Amino acid sequence: MMAEVLQLRRRLLSVSRQNAVAIRSSLQSTLNRHCSSTSSTEQENQCAKERSRWLELPPFAPQVDTAVIARKISGQCIAGKNEEEDSPTTTAVKWVRRCCPDLPLSLVQKLFRLRQVKKTLTDSNASSEQQSRLKRVSAKDALSPGDVLCLPVNVQHSLPIVKKPRVCKDTDEMSFVRSLELYKDDAIIVMNKPPGLPVQGGVGIEHSMDSLASKYLKYDYPDGPRLVHRLDRDSSGVLVLGRDQASATLLHSIFREKTSNALSDDTFRVLQRKYIALVIGVPRRTKGLITVPLAKVVLDDGKSERMTVSDDPSAQHAVTEYNVIESFSNGLTWLELSPLTGRKHQLRVHCAEVLRTPIVGDAKYGWRAHKRWKPVPLPSYLDFRTNHNQQLPFGLNSEGGTISDRRPFLHLHCKQMILPDISSALKMFGSSDFDQYMSSLKKLSTVAPLPSHMQMSWDILKSLS
């Protein structure tokens, strides 16, 4: 009897131990899962807390060498030369200075000296935990594309307080300026400049295309677009603006390459401009190429200056193609002018002093011809067009100025510009297919309609033919 009781007791104890092991194993598994979840959550919270202590700068992108792109677009690259060898490396301290220009240099140097500038890992194959880790960088460490530098978040207290720009509420002015847009992309804005509006500000100039573009054409960009070339105040037509520093610098390089290579026989005309001008007189040849250098002369004891044809060795070469569109019995002629260089008042001087046919309304270079100016009679069926009353801002005048007036406006208009698609060129820069892409880079062609006074003069002359 006693033996049976002991045996039964051993069986019960064995079952209890098995249950205990099973329970203990289950508890341990649950505890491990809970600890793992808690550890993961704590690690994520710690990572988030760590990231909140740092201020991330924009990912490093190599500065675009616009001169290289301009040479490639213009077909002027030297065979066998590696353009990348000339591109300078960007160090960490340079990138911090570029991203934070308002930080004092002494503070930037102190941050590097105290090892408080970090870099995030950019390995796409790394885990999320590894990607969130920060690595110390020194001031002279070279950066690779995509590197993200981090500064202590408290450096924001060292930045100056920037006042928010005043929001302009003059919707009429803004609507007028934006109505002048002919084309817009990520890199450029092309405008149809009205006659009488200066391109750049100066003494006594209240409004200019430069200031108006900065005020009304910023859109979502931090700064306004930048000028890259000029048009005379009284002329009109296509005006190109660069939307940021890179695009403006590239356009400057393209215009510079165009001018410097204008006399080369094998020049690839990557940039083309076509002007329409009404001149007094008829050129002896219906088309031709003018290659006459220009120089500046000062008049009235320095009070005024003008450009003139000169044989002086220091004079700048100026090249213009011209083509007669149509001549009329009253001695007026429509010309198409294509400047291959970009000299000041080039077209006006070439027409007045070389072709001997000054542009209508150009009292500066054609004052002799305008002394004998006789207005062209206005046909009766065009009378109604002079009575429209269009109010323009900035002191612009849309009335009169035609060949039927005693004092006509300047009849010089940049009608068309053909230029490369620099937006695509900037996006492709640095890629392995860049050279091949440049060889087939598409071109953009923008056309500006004639201003009202030139359109009216066109209609008047057409009625006489």
Side-chain angles (χ1 to χ4, degrees):
M1 179 68 179
M2 194 64 179
E4 292 179 359
V5 170
L6 290 174
Q7 187 177 2
L8 181 59
R9 188 175 180 180
R10 289 193 193 97
R11 289 179 181 176
L12 290 173
L13 289 174
S14 175
V15 173
S16 299
R17 280 196 293 269
Q18 290 178 1
N19 290 340
V21 170
I23 293 172
R24 189 181 298 112
S25 176
S26 177
L27 288 174
Q28 186 66 37
S29 177
T30 302
L31 182 61
N32 289 340
R33 287 197 301 270
H34 177 72
C35 291
S36 176
S37 176
T38 304
S39 175
S40 177
T41 303
E42 289 179 353
Q43 190 171 13
E44 290 178 0
N45 293 336
Q46 186 175 0
C47 291
K49 185 178 180 180
E50 178 72 11
R51 286 193 298 269
S52 66
R53 295 177 51 240
W54 298 94
L55 174 67
E56 289 189 353
L57 300 184
F60 168 68
Q63 193 169 11
V64 176
D65 192 338
T66 55
V68 172
I69 301 179
R71 286 196 295 270
K72 287 183 179 292
I73 292 176
S74 303
Q76 299 295 324
C77 288
I78 301 175
K81 181 179 178 180
N82 186 6
E83 302 283 1
E84 295 181 357
E85 294 177 356
D86 297 333
S87 58
T89 57
T90 301
T91 59
V93 66
K94 287 183 179 180
W95 185 244
V96 173
R97 292 284 290 161
R98 192 182 304 170
C99 295
C100 305
D102 295 325
L103 277 181
L105 177 60
S106 59
L107 176 59
V108 174
Q109 293 172 338
K110 182 179 179 181
L111 292 174
F112 279 102
R113 191 167 58 250
L114 298 178
R115 301 187 175 188
Q116 292 185 341
V117 181
K118 307 288 185 178
K119 180 178 71 172
T120 60
L121 299 178
T122 56
D123 185 6
S124 59
N125 296 323
S127 64
S128 59
E129 296 179 5
Q130 290 176 320
Q131 284 184 342
S132 62
R133 287 192 309 173
L134 299 177
K135 176 184 177 182
R136 172 191 169 263
V137 292
S138 63
K140 295 183 179 180
D141 284 351
L143 298 182
S144 301
D147 284 347
V148 178
L149 297 185
C150 299
L151 305 179
V153 71
N154 57 9
V155 300
Q156 294 179 350
H157 303 304
S158 302
L159 295 173
I161 299 176
V162 180
K163 295 181 179 181
K164 293 183 179 181
R166 183 177 62 88
V167 178
C168 180
K169 297 182 179 180
D170 197 331
T171 56
D172 291 338
E173 288 187 0
M174 182 172 65
S175 298
F176 174 77
V177 173
R178 294 187 176 183
S179 70
L180 302 175
E181 290 181 4
L182 298 173
Y183 175 80
K184 179 177 66 175
D185 61 21
D186 295 338
I188 66 173
I189 294 180
V190 184
M191 307 291 291
N192 181 16
K193 188 192 89 67
L197 185 63
V199 168
Q200 196 168 23
V203 179
I205 296 177
E206 183 179 359
H207 302 290
S208 66
M209 286 298 299
D210 189 22
S211 62
L212 293 175
S214 179
K215 188 176 182 181
Y216 296 116
L217 302 180
K218 291 174 67 171
Y219 294 102
D220 54 346
Y221 280 56
D223 300 308
R226 298 161 170 83
L227 292 173
V228 296
H229 69 109
R230 303 290 187 271
L231 287 178
D232 294 341
R233 177 174 186 159
D234 295 324
S235 63
S236 59
V238 179
L239 181 71
V240 181
L241 306 171
R243 299 195 70 180
D244 54 26
Q245 186 61 51
S247 58
T249 306
L250 176 54
L251 286 169
H252 275 300
S253 300
I254 292 175
F255 275 85
R256 190 163 53 246
E257 289 286 336
K258 169 188 170 63
T259 295
S260 62
N261 296 297
L263 293 179
S264 302
D265 294 335
D266 58 348
T267 299
F268 174 65
R269 295 185 181 177
V270 67
L271 178 67
Q272 300 177 46
R273 289 174 290 178
K274 295 182 179 180
Y275 285 73
I276 299 295
L278 182 62
V279 299
I280 303 173
V282 181
R284 282 189 280 181
R285 294 183 177 88
T286 57
K287 62 181 179 179
L289 180 69
I290 303 172
T291 57
V292 178
L294 304 179
K296 183 187 299 183
V297 294
V298 180
L299 306 173
D300 300 331
D301 297 329
K303 294 180 181 180
S304 63
E305 60 184 32
R306 57 176 287 163
M307 305 299 293
T308 186
V309 173
S310 175
D311 294 330
D312 192 290
S314 62
Q316 296 178 315
H317 73 279
V319 186
T320 302
E321 287 183 343
Y322 75 91
N323 181 46
V324 173
I325 299 175
E326 189 173 0
S327 296
F328 300 90
S329 58
N330 58 7
L332 298 179
T333 302
W334 286 108
L335 293 182
E336 181 183 81
L337 304 169
S338 299
L340 304 187
T341 54
R343 307 305 180 193
K344 182 178 180 179
H345 295 172
Q346 173 178 322
L347 300 181
R348 296 164 64 181
V349 178
H350 279 176
C351 286
E353 298 189 14
V354 180
L355 297 180
R356 304 294 180 183
T357 57
I359 299 175
V360 171
D362 189 0
K364 186 180 185 74
Y365 296 100
W367 60 273
R368 288 189 180 89
H370 284 82
K371 276 188 174 182
R372 303 186 298 270
W373 172 256
K374 294 181 179 180
V376 178
L378 182 68
S380 58
Y381 68 90
L382 291 178
D383 282 349
F384 73 96
R385 299 189 59 179
T386 63
N387 295 327
H388 71 286
N389 186 18
Q390 182 183 5
Q391 296 294 328
L392 299 181
F394 317 122
L396 298 177
N397 186 6
S398 63
E399 297 297 322
T402 71
I403 55 175
S404 295
D405 293 289
R406 295 184 61 84
R407 294 184 179 180
F409 297 160
L410 182 66
H411 282 55
L412 179 62
H413 176 74
C414 183
K415 182 175 179 60
Q416 183 182 22
M417 184 176 293
I418 302 174
L419 69 161
D421 182 7
I422 68 166
S423 175
S424 299
L426 289 170
K427 290 177 182 177
M428 291 296 296
F429 181 70
S431 67
S432 57
D433 300 329
F434 180 71
D435 290 340
Q436 182 180 358
Y437 188 81
M438 287 298 98
S439 62
S440 59
L441 185 65
K442 71 175 184 178
K443 294 183 179 180
L444 302 174
S445 175
T446 54
V447 177
L450 290 174
S452 58
H453 70 282
M454 289 186 67
Q455 183 62 55
M456 185 107 180
S457 295
W458 180 282
D459 296 339
I460 293 172
L461 291 174
K462 280 295 184 182
S463 69
L464 301 178
S465 59

